[in-house]
Amino acid sequence: MALLSFLDREHSIAPAQYSRWLVPPAALAIHLSIGQAYAFSVFNLPLSKVIGGAAASPDDWKLSTLGWIFSIAIVFLGLSAAIWGAWLERVGPRKAMFVSACCFGGGFLIGALGISTHQLWLLLLGYGVLGGIGLGLGYISPVSTLIKWFPDRPGMATGLAIMGFGGGAMVASPLSVALMSHFRDSRTHGLTETFVTMGIGYFLFMMIGVFLVRLPAASAAPAGSAAGRPLAHTTEQRSASATSTAASRQASLRQVPVNEAWRTPQFWLLWLALFCNVTAGIGVLGQASAMIQEVFTGRITAAAAAGFVGLLSLCNMAGRFIWSTTSDKIGRKPTYMIFFALGALLYFAVPTIGVRNVGVFVALYAVILSMYGGGFATIPAYLRDLFGTVQVGAIHGRILTAWSAAGLAGPILVNYIREYQISHGVAKAASYNTTMYIMASLLIVGFIANALVRPLPVGSAQRAGTPVAA
Amino acid sequence: MATDDGRSSPLSIALAWLAVGIPLAWGVSQTIIKSMALFR
């Protein structure tokens, strides 16, 4: 019971003088863990050989079936973030992080049971459903807390956390390979042991976040007080508050609850903008290895293509921090304008100048993927500018359904258009050109959506101090 | 994580950042090594 009360919102209020620089590591501990999801594909091939080993067995799981594990996890990420965002705001980040750690770690353990008994439904239920819920809760749990601690640099703060999600796959991929190699012997494939180790390991690592995270005192204030405006505890924080940008001052005027926010045109315009940005990036990310090998046939080996994928992951991760930090200086809307305008130009450039030179091709995609990551990392601060801080986590959760939708649309656009092109006689090297033009067009749609975003009319928003249930 | 007066110690802040920074740096270094194949 003592543990449960430790998780309560009122027990996670920061004491005076608590350094806000302890909060980003808490967020990173969560995001570095759940970012593992993007490295799940390293398990697909070994999972398809559990029964037969090197010799194929008809009882083995098919690769196409195993692809559903990741897809279900991403769908449940979006659903859980949308459904439990308001609950998170009510109970605070510590309890949400703890539940996320239980779901994510537990998902691995149930998955391990599924592997050892060779029952796919247990893997789908464990890693896909339960793990996916852990992903969604973990993804949004530190966001509103960080925004409240860093009113002067909300983009940088959330960028740091969401950068961790990008970095998580970089840690998980070599870690998974090393663990499978360690546990593999003549009798076992090592997958069950790897899943158990990762489940326990990630649970413990996420506990760092649970123990470190604190809410700034004012965010725990009862309804009717100056909710959402964090008190400046330290000299550092008072200085930060004094240098707040115009956007943050504007945000301090509005505290819009999630049920009101998601009925505004601003929410849906941003949903569309995020959808366009993610769709344009996610389709390319999934096909990067095949694409560079087919565009530069005979010049790019499989190992070099894997290096290209790695480089794109690095740019995706770096972009999350760099672009979101930049948005604190130039504003959220101009940052998204750059994503869409520059992104569209670069996509148009790929089939024209990009295909002539490997270096140019790589550079174009490096910038494109940095803006893909930047879109994810900048959206929480954009929402905070429009709707205030008090339920920004819940609003962020709702808008992440754009990610789930893009996760379906992006790969379908790239794969099916490519297959259609090839079936109509287009050479493989040229089969991506139409897709690039469609991606560029999609970014133009995003540009228009972003351009239409206007601050909420004062009449429809609530002034700070007006009761808004957190 | 905090001293008697509730102030966070610089050591605790450094340890917290190291706890997340070391695995992240390892992951990034592994990715950079893998990416080098593109430039060979």
Side-chain angles (χ1 to χ4, degrees):
Chain A
M1 294 308 285
L3 172 69
L4 292 179
S5 70
F6 167 76
L7 299 173
D8 288 345
R9 185 185 179 91
E10 54 267 31
H11 289 118
S12 52
I13 307 301
Q17 308 296 328
Y18 190 83
S19 173
R20 63 177 180 167
W21 291 103
L22 281 168
V23 184
L28 274 168
I30 301 295
H31 273 240
L32 273 174
S33 301
I34 60 174
Q36 179 278 338
Y38 271 141
F40 189 83
S41 60
V42 298
F43 294 126
N44 283 347
L45 205 56
L47 280 171
S48 70
K49 297 175 178 175
V50 170
I51 302 285
S57 163
D59 293 330
D60 267 326
W61 294 322
K62 290 184 173 63
L63 276 174
S64 55
T65 311
L66 290 167
W68 280 103
I69 302 170
F70 175 75
S71 299
I72 289 174
I74 293 298
V75 167
F76 274 85
L77 182 158
L79 287 176
S80 60
I83 293 168
W84 287 302
W87 169 81
L88 184 157
E89 296 289 2
R90 197 169 62 248
V91 302
R94 182 176 279 166
K95 189 173 278 182
M97 285 178 176
F98 182 76
V99 174
S100 164
C102 291
C103 291
F104 192 61
F108 268 104
L109 298 183
I110 294 173
L113 186 66
I115 297 166
S116 66
T117 58
H118 206 253
Q119 295 188 73
L120 185 64
W121 71 272
L122 277 174
L123 251 178
L124 294 170
L125 179 72
Y127 190 91
V129 177
L130 192 62
I133 292 170
L135 289 177
L137 284 177
Y139 193 92
I140 60 172
S141 59
V143 167
S144 68
T145 307
L146 282 166
I147 286 175
K148 287 163 190 163
W149 274 108
F150 290 85
D152 53 327
R153 281 177 278 185
M156 180 215 72
T158 54
L160 260 176
I162 293 171
M163 177 190 76
F165 195 83
M170 294 183 196
V171 179
S173 182
L175 178 67
S176 309
V177 172
L179 284 172
M180 284 189 286
S181 170
H182 175 74
F183 289 120
R184 186 181 300 126
D185 58 29
S186 57
R187 291 177 298 106
T188 173
H189 38 70
L191 275 166
T192 306
E193 295 84 347
T194 299
F195 266 57
V196 170
T197 307
M198 292 184 88
I200 296 170
Y202 276 125
F203 176 81
L204 294 174
F205 194 70
M206 289 168 88
M207 285 302 109
I208 296 175
V210 171
F211 282 100
L212 279 180
V213 75
R214 295 285 189 285
L215 278 165
S219 65
S225 68
R229 280 187 300 182
L231 295 178
H233 289 315
T234 61
T235 308
E236 177 190 56
Q237 285 171 261
R238 280 191 292 273
S239 163
S241 296
T243 56
S244 289
T245 60
S248 66
R249 283 194 297 274
Q250 179 193 58
S252 71
L253 289 173
R254 297 181 174 87
Q255 301 297 345
V256 184
V258 60
N259 286 331
E260 198 176 307
W262 85 299
R263 291 191 175 95
T264 62
Q266 284 84 348
F267 176 89
W268 290 105
L269 286 168
L270 275 190
W271 191 98
L272 181 61
L274 184 66
F275 172 80
C276 292
N277 194 49
V278 177
T279 303
I282 211 165
V284 170
L285 207 52
Q287 293 296 318
S289 174
M291 186 169 62
I292 194 169
Q293 289 181 79
E294 289 180 356
V295 171
F296 299 101
T297 308
R299 291 164 63 189
I300 295 290
T301 62
F308 176 58
V309 176
L311 188 73
L312 293 187
S313 303
L314 276 172
C315 294
N316 173 14
M317 188 190 82
R320 290 170 188 244
F321 181 70
I322 294 167
W323 284 110
S324 59
T325 304
T326 305
S327 77
D328 286 335
K329 303 284 179 199
I330 66 172
R332 255 51 85 170
K333 193 170 179 175
T335 305
Y336 266 82
M337 287 298 188
I338 293 172
F339 293 161
F340 292 125
L342 183 58
L345 280 176
L346 295 180
Y347 268 119
F348 276 123
V350 170
T352 50
I353 59 170
V355 294
R356 294 180 199 158
N357 182 288
V358 178
V360 175
F361 185 88
V362 171
L364 289 173
Y365 275 114
V367 180
I368 286 172
L369 264 295
S370 82
M371 295 190 292
Y372 163 76
F376 276 118
T378 309
I379 201 78
Y382 206 158
L383 293 171
R384 171 263 197 195
D385 290 353
L386 284 169
F387 303 115
T389 56
V390 79
Q391 289 202 329
V392 70
I395 300 166
H396 184 219
R398 295 270 170 101
I399 213 164
L400 286 181
T401 50
W403 182 4
S404 298
L408 295 173
I412 288 172
L413 270 177
V414 172
N415 295 335
Y416 286 97
I417 293 171
R418 176 179 169 274
E419 282 172 16
Y420 178 83
Q421 296 271 299
I422 292 171
S423 68
H424 283 74
V426 176
K428 276 188 176 178
S431 64
Y432 293 100
N433 291 0
T434 307
T435 312
M436 297 306 119
Y437 293 132
I438 290 175
M439 296 298 179
S441 310
L442 208 56
L443 290 176
I444 292 169
V445 174
F447 184 92
I448 295 166
N450 183 52
L452 292 173
V453 174
R454 298 276 184 273
L456 285 175
V458 175
S460 72
Q462 301 191 28
R463 290 190 175 278
T466 306
V468 176
Chain B
M1 283 299 142
T3 56
D4 289 343
D5 63 350
R7 184 190 297 272
S8 308
S9 73
L11 180 64
S12 65
I13 297 171
L15 284 174
W17 279 97
L18 279 175
V20 293
I22 290 173
L24 179 61
W26 178 74
V28 168
S29 69
Q30 295 293 311
T31 308
I32 290 171
I33 290 166
K34 193 172 133 189
S35 301
M36 286 299 112
L38 182 62
F39 302 104
R40 286 195 196 111

